[in-house]
Amino acid sequence: MKKYYPIMVDLTGKNCTVVGGGKVAERKVISLLAYGPKVKIVSPVLTNSLKALVTEKQILWVPRQYQRGDLENSYLVYVATNDPEVNRLCYEEAQQWKIPINVVDTPHLCDFIVPASLQRGDLSIMVSTNGKSPMLSRKIREELEKLYGEDYTEFVRLLGELREKVLDEVEDAQKRREIFEAVVYGDLLKQDPIEYKQDLREKIESIYKSMC
Ligand SMILES: C[C@@]1(CC(=O)O)c2cc3[nH]c(cc4nc(cc5[nH]c(cc(n2)[C@H]1CCC(=O)O)[C@@](C)(CC(=O)O)[C@@H]5CCC(=O)O)C(CC(=O)O)=C4CCC(=O)O)c(CCC(=O)O)c3CC(=O)O
Ligand SMILES: NC(=O)C1=CN([C@@H]2O[C@H](COP(=O)(O)OP(=O)(O)OC[C@H]3O[C@@H](n4cnc5c(N)ncnc54)[C@H](O)[C@@H]3O)[C@@H](O)[C@H]2O)C=CC1
């Protein structure tokens, strides 16, 4: 059984190629677009949503069947056709160029898989079952969405600000650790949501000041 190493990749401006233009390709393209790559899609037919993205110039469309060479210069490749032979040919080409590839319905032809994920600003939470049950990944992601609400966006932003300040102002590494611990483990979000919104920053600052 393969084991996948969890990693976060910067796709900004990188060429990502998607072969196939159905529902699954659509889901993959939409999740890719949130991360700023250049997306090229090779498929004779596209879903309406994918067509709209082409019209808006968010993705580039090569309106024909896959041909050898289509994957050249790609940073990542997704293959989501309904034709196993095309999937195999794409995998061969990706191997030749040493490009990581994900063939959506063929786990043994995947160099990478994509976890279910949720974003709260700079906080990312991912779930994977190593391909055993994408549906379970989805369910756990939904549960985590309830546990880690939108309030975490602001909390993580403020923690980022605090960290810069503390790294700048506090020389002692042990002291820095104690400050971060007090704020992160302080359950500051467990209080009434309306109230904390008004003074989350103040609460963090007062913990910091009380420790200096
Ligand atoms: C290996 C992996 C490769 C990859 O795609 O990266 C893979 C493979 C396959 N998925 C299949 C089916 C479904 N996939 C989903 C949903 C998601 N699938 C995703 C990831 C992954 N899917 C990777 C492993 C993730 C892990 O480790 O857990 C998510 C997390 C992310 C995303 O796709 O963006 C996204 C949830 C996003 C969210 O909601 O948060 C649903 C449910 C639904 O539609 O909501 C179904 C139908 C129910 C079911 O079958 O379980 C099939 C069978 C196809 C067939 O029946 O022919 C295969 C192929 C196989 O397993 O053989
Ligand atoms: N990994 C996952 O999460 C899931 C994977 N699947 C699998 O993914 C595959 C795709 O699913 P759907 O998008 O629903 O299929 P679909 O039938 O809607 O789309 C297939 C697409 O591939 C294109 N295509 C066919 N031959 C091609 C070629 N030679 N070159 C380029 N494009 C070509 C078609 O024009 C069409 O746009 C299926 O095999 C399905 O079993 C299905 C559900 C979930």
Side-chain angles (χ1 to χ4, degrees):
M1 181 69 200
K2 290 199 226 182
K3 256 186 157 178
Y4 292 93
Y5 178 62
I7 183 172
M8 294 174 76
V9 181
D10 178 10
L11 290 183
T12 319
K14 308 241 168 78
N15 296 323
C16 294
T17 303
V18 178
V19 182
K23 267 279 149 209
V24 173
E26 178 185 308
R27 192 172 83 223
K28 302 297 183 186
V29 166
I30 288 169
S31 65
L32 275 175
L33 281 178
Y35 298 90
K38 292 182 194 147
V39 176
K40 176 176 88 175
I41 187 158
V42 181
S43 176
V45 180
L46 296 186
T47 64
N48 286 336
S49 306
L50 285 169
K51 274 188 211 148
L53 292 172
V54 174
T55 312
E56 292 162 15
K57 297 200 166 32
Q58 294 209 53
I59 59 177
L60 189 79
W61 181 23
V62 181
R64 56 158 171 76
Q65 297 207 330
Y66 160 79
Q67 287 172 9
R68 196 173 181 84
D70 284 342
L71 309 187
E72 198 178 350
N73 294 324
S74 300
Y75 184 78
L76 280 185
V77 172
Y78 273 114
V79 182
T81 77
N82 45 3
D83 183 340
E85 180 57 12
V86 177
N87 293 353
R88 198 186 56 75
L89 290 172
C90 288
Y91 186 75
E92 265 179 32
E93 186 184 342
Q95 293 275 89
Q96 181 202 325
W97 305 118
K98 298 194 176 14
I99 301 164
I101 185 168
N102 176 307
V103 181
V104 293
D105 56 352
T106 319
H108 70 276
L109 300 185
C110 286
D111 294 318
F112 67 94
I113 59 174
V114 181
S117 71
L118 70 102
Q119 250 72 48
R120 296 290 181 245
D122 287 319
L123 173 66
S124 307
I125 306 180
M126 287 84 160
V127 183
S128 171
T129 59
N130 212 28
K132 287 283 160 54
S133 174
M135 190 70 92
L136 178 62
S137 297
R138 178 199 181 122
K139 179 172 181 284
I140 294 174
R141 189 259 304 157
E142 286 166 353
E143 289 163 359
L144 290 169
E145 267 172 359
K146 288 180 205 134
L147 213 53
Y148 295 92
E150 291 296 344
D151 40 351
Y152 273 82
T153 302
E154 178 68 353
F155 188 42
V156 173
R157 202 179 64 72
L158 292 170
L159 287 176
E161 274 181 24
L162 174 76
R163 184 158 189 273
E164 274 188 32
K165 203 161 147 188
V166 171
L167 289 178
D168 202 39
E169 294 174 4
V170 182
E171 267 181 40
D172 180 34
Q174 175 61 25
K175 188 83 210 161
R176 287 201 297 259
R177 199 188 152 79
E178 282 166 19
I179 294 166
F180 297 142
E181 240 167 37
V183 175
V184 170
Y185 285 83
D187 285 339
L188 301 187
L189 293 183
K190 287 228 175 105
Q191 294 144 30
D192 181 72
I194 305 236
E195 198 184 290
Y196 88 75
K197 263 200 185 116
Q198 290 164 343
D199 62 3
L200 186 56
R201 179 193 292 273
E202 280 165 36
K203 278 181 188 154
I204 291 175
E205 272 170 12
S206 82
I207 293 178
Y208 177 36
K209 287 208 184 94
S210 75
M211 295 183 75
C212 282

